Amino acid sequence: MIESQSPAKLRHSLGPLNRSEDEQRAFFLAVLERAQQAETKAGTVERCFAVAGSFIKVKFAGNMLAQLFTAALAHLEVPPTSRADAVFHIWDSKSSGIEMVPPPWSRACFTHRGDIWTMRSQQFKSAYLLGEYALNLFDTATATGVYWTQSAERLPAWAKSSPMRCLFHWWAETKGYQLMHAAAVGTEVGAVLISAKGGMGKSTTSLSCLDKGLTYIGDDYVIVQLDPFPKVHSLYCTAKLNWDQMAWFPRFSDSVKNHNRRESEKAVMHLYPEMRERIMRSLPLSAVLTPRISGRQQTELAEISPPALQQAIGLTTMWQLPHTGRHTQHFISRLIESLPGLCLSLGYNLDSIADTIVRLLANPTGEAKHFPNKNRNKELTSHPLVSVIVPVYNGARFLPESVASILVQNYPNIEIVVVDDGSTDGIDNMVQRLPVDVRLVKQDRTIGLAAARNCGILEASGEFITFLDVENLWPEGNLQIMLALLSEDGGCDVVQGWGQMLKADAATSPHDSVGFSEESFSQYLTAAIYRREVFQTAGLFDETLGAGDDTDWFSRAREHGLKLRQVDQVTLLVRRHDSDKLRGKSLRELNTLKVLKDALDRKRAKSV
């Protein structure tokens, strides 16, 4: 059985322990064999679905998962056919009596979105979804997928409202399509794609439009095709909404299927067959929208910059789906470049939502011309995603200023990952008040700074990774300079600058410089930018040290032959304050001697 707890402490040895391609192939084949054994023992229930112009055959081991999963796909079901563009095998151990193969990883390798740290094959995709206790595997060469969970009875409602989404995601990529965390509604002439993080009005928009007679493609996940022209395909005939908002849509109240889980889940509606006349399988795309709640009465269209639109619709998809990366960013950039893109400023008059979208669909190009920004920025694809990891432990008061120092970099493609290390000072409320969307990853207990950084690395989506401890700041222009240096030297793995010590002094200025940057500590992890791959090569940070993990990591990086470039400029502003845990620490307490001893031990081991 695969453990389902949140990720535990991550040892720095995780990096070099990546599983080989042969090991990952062997694991996939072993799990596939178990799935087929489960089908033989429990009886195969075979269903076929027409998805985005292809036929997907799904083989269930017994009736239980077949009943739970097919309701969300009922509008796409077709009679059995010998043709299959992909085959998914679905099973659980409890009902079939067939146990899972022991996995070649520990639970420390799991991430919140599903990636498994040591499983990096491009052919054999893998993900473990903590919230569903479910393993997903997919062979991109044969379009064969496997979904396993220990017990179908334990699955939450969202797993049944969007079943097998990892398998559909990976299959869609093999076709050149993209599964997106988005809604889509339309008329007979086309559809709009509506995407944003949760709580921004995406579901309210799609249900308001369906309620007023518009056609419905999907509420939470849809498949988008770019060539030969942008098109959106339906995947699930379900919708999710907060329970208190169900009063706005009494028409759909009988479609709710999870009344017994009101305390822990959103209301999940199954819209088929009642809405069969309004649910469309596919429509051409006419525009891309991201909603924002305005507080005004009427819904209106508003301008949004291309980078802001990219952030709004790109990051929410990348945060939801495992193994997304630069190829996902490139797809979404092309989508934005090919269609009008606008902000949908939502008013509290729900009728005005559908009216606004109908007007837009009647003349999408004309409506977009009301705004000077046409969203056709060809530079979107040239800016790789940079993930900024911000560990926080009871530092909510510092967060707005540290995030502001990230935003003034004026880099158009940034992902901010805030890792809450068990804070008790209202970090959730502070994150909600930030002027930018960030990803908040919460730990149930305090695990330490190195472990929080490791967690951030595993959760990050970017090609490049950098760190900013919550009490510190970046100089203006810092990110652009470091990224340019790293990009111009293809053989360089890390660019590192200096840290400038600051001291808060309310009597003079917000922060005063202390000493010279060149005389400061030379191994600040947070004064550097890294290619993502370096943490696969040299490993993660050593969580056993408590302090000194920065010196230890740079020592291991050099031992592994990574190229580190030191630049003669300040790239980090280090704020010292009364609660600083490192104030007054001795060399022994800072683990300096242990780091040196570990480095010598590794050198001696190599020479033996």
Side-chain angles (χ1 to χ4, degrees), residues 498-549:
W498 299 102
Q500 173 64 61
M501 195 77 68
L502 303 178
K503 181 179 180 181
D505 187 351
T508 56
S509 63
H511 304 96
D512 285 338
S513 297
V514 179
F516 297 100
S517 58
E518 293 83 356
E519 298 173 350
S520 69
F521 179 57
S522 62
Q523 302 291 310
Y524 279 119
L525 288 169
T526 49
I529 187 168
Y530 309 78
R531 295 189 188 275
R532 182 184 186 88
E533 295 78 12
V534 301
F535 299 106
Q536 296 284 334
T537 302
L540 300 176
F541 303 124
D542 190 340
E543 300 168 15
T544 66
L545 293 175
D549 55 307

Side-chain angles (χ1 to χ4, degrees), residues 103-116:
W105 62 73
S106 72
R107 63 188 177 95
C109 301
F110 297 155
T111 68
H112 287 77
R113 74 173 184 177
D115 302 73
I116 302 171

Side-chain angles (χ1 to χ4, degrees), residues 406-423:
I406 297 172
L407 298 181
V408 298
Q409 305 302 316
N410 289 322
Y411 185 75
N413 205 8
I414 287 181
E415 171 193 44
I416 301 175
V417 181
V418 175
V419 182
D420 172 27
D421 193 22
S423 298

Side-chain angles (χ1 to χ4, degrees), residues 388-428:
V388 185
I389 297 166
V390 184
V392 181
Y393 175 69
N394 287 340
R397 66 190 186 279
F398 298 116
L399 188 61
E401 196 172 357
S402 62
V403 168
S405 80
I406 297 172
L407 298 181
V408 298
Q409 305 302 316
N410 289 322
Y411 185 75
N413 205 8
I414 287 181
E415 171 193 44
I416 301 175
V417 181
V418 175
V419 182
D420 172 27
D421 193 22
S423 298
T424 58
D425 64 344
I427 186 65
D428 299 66

Side-chain angles (χ1 to χ4, degrees), residues 565-578:
R565 179 175 177 179
Q566 181 77 45
V567 295
D568 192 21
Q569 69 178 59
V570 174
T571 57
L572 177 69
L573 303 177
V574 183
R575 295 192 287 188
R576 287 291 180 241
H577 49 86
D578 292 339

